[in-house]
Amino acid sequence: MRVIILKNYEQVSECVFNHFIASFKKNTRDNFVLGLPTGGTPILFYEKIAKNQVDFSKIITFNMDEYIGISRDNKNSFYSFMNENLYKKVNIKPENINIPNGEAMDLEQECKKYEEKIKLYGGIDLFVGGIGTNGHIAFNEPNSDFSSVTRVVNLTEKTIKDNARFFNSADDVPKTAITVGISTIMGAKELLFMANGKNKAEAIKQTVNGAADKLWPSSFLKNHKNVTLVIDEAAAILL
Ligand code: GLP
């Protein structure tokens, strides 16, 4: 695992942006398949993509996850988040945007279809991600299996509490979600993860120094042969 420690959030976002551009330029396939996260961490990265007007005409995106129990129109759905922060600002073709549908009638079927669609496109070229304070990646909470694929999951109290900042109260945060699995993430050709702030320090310590262990899902990332973790000094204080 390549670990890059930078001064602050701005530098982390700039580095992730440059890395994404380099990876995109190296791509020799007709399309570039990009896995994307939500959360507070990638916001500046998305701003940089929009500001630089990166050409998304040949990019196909797959978002990592989506809440169940709120509609797509809800401002806190990941669908709304992605539209507001990225999709409405770039020239991506609507048919190239993939976000799990948390409102699907048959959620099991939705998960299966999502996983199959990723395979149909030949897999993810670059999966960009953030890390939760409890080490979750996408919504793979502690105790998620290494072999897990796209599925419905229960969110932990910790994650609900962490994400309450986007809602009126913790009671409004959905309790379940659809998430790609650990094996879906690990199946990408390249991984690019980022974290900033001292509230991520313990998760970063476990990710970098700990053994690959279910209790800290992000610790599995080190088993990937092409993974870069970009963090700021505050997130690196326990290394
Ligand atoms: C979530 C998302 C993850 C994200 C993580 C960290 O809720 N499902 O994809 O990486 O939490 O979020 P943040 O960047 O807000 O700290």
Side-chain angles (χ1 to χ4, degrees), residues 1 135 137 140-148 182-183 186 191 206-208 210-225 227:
M1 175 186 272
I137 47 176
N140 293 283
E141 298 277 31
N143 286 314
S144 295
D145 277 329
F146 186 68
S147 59
S148 55
I182 306 234
S183 102
M186 298 296 281
L191 302 180
Q206 299 294 339
T207 305
V208 177
D213 188 289
K214 270 180 163 193
L215 286 181
W216 294 89
S218 52
S219 67
F220 283 130
L221 294 173
K222 64 166 72 67
N223 289 354
H224 194 282
K225 61 181 188 328
V227 53

Side-chain angles (χ1 to χ4, degrees), residues 37-42 64-65 67 78 129-133 136-139 159 163 165-166 199-200:
T38 58
T41 315
M64 292 183 138
D65 43 20
Y67 287 121
F78 290 167
I131 296 179
T133 56
H136 74 243
I137 47 176
F139 269 138
T159 298
N163 286 1
R165 68 189 195 279
F166 298 112
N199 62 330
K200 299 287 172 73

Side-chain angles (χ1 to χ4, degrees), residues 31 53 59 85 97 106 112 138 154 182 185 202-203 225:
N31 292 311
Q53 278 302 293
I59 297 184
N85 288 287
I97 298 173
D106 186 340
K112 219 171 140 228
N154 293 315
I182 306 234
I185 296 170
E202 181 62 28
K225 61 181 188 328

Side-chain angles (χ1 to χ4, degrees), residues 104-239:
M105 290 295 282
D106 186 340
L107 291 167
E108 298 302 325
Q109 189 57 23
E110 171 66 15
C111 295
K112 219 171 140 228
K113 263 179 21 205
Y114 203 73
E115 191 74 29
E116 278 164 8
K117 198 165 180 191
I118 293 175
K119 290 205 180 93
L120 203 72
Y121 279 108
I124 308 271
D125 290 304
L126 175 70
F127 225 133
V128 180
I131 296 179
T133 56
N134 63 356
H136 74 243
I137 47 176
F139 269 138
N140 293 283
E141 298 277 31
N143 286 314
S144 295
D145 277 329
F146 186 68
S147 59
S148 55
V149 293
T150 305
R151 66 201 187 288
V152 172
V153 290
N154 293 315
L155 304 183
T156 60
E157 284 304 317
K158 179 84 181 103
T159 298
I160 290 171
K161 212 171 130 210
D162 284 351
N163 286 1
R165 68 189 195 279
F166 298 112
F167 292 78
N168 291 331
S169 74
D171 287 341
D172 293 336
V173 183
K175 309 288 178 282
T176 53
I178 293 180
T179 183
V180 296
I182 306 234
S183 102
T184 321
I185 296 170
M186 298 296 281
K189 294 183 188 72
E190 186 180 1
L191 302 180
L192 176 60
F193 275 69
M194 60 181 131
N196 67 285
K198 64 175 188 314
N199 62 330
K200 299 287 172 73
E202 181 62 28
I204 292 304
K205 182 176 112 185
Q206 299 294 339
T207 305
V208 177
N209 295 339
D213 188 289
K214 270 180 163 193
L215 286 181
W216 294 89
S218 52
S219 67
F220 283 130
L221 294 173
K222 64 166 72 67
N223 289 354
H224 194 282
K225 61 181 188 328
N226 189 2
V227 53
T228 306
L229 175 66
V230 189
I231 55 178
D232 72 349
E233 284 175 358
I237 44 169
L238 299 179
L239 294 183

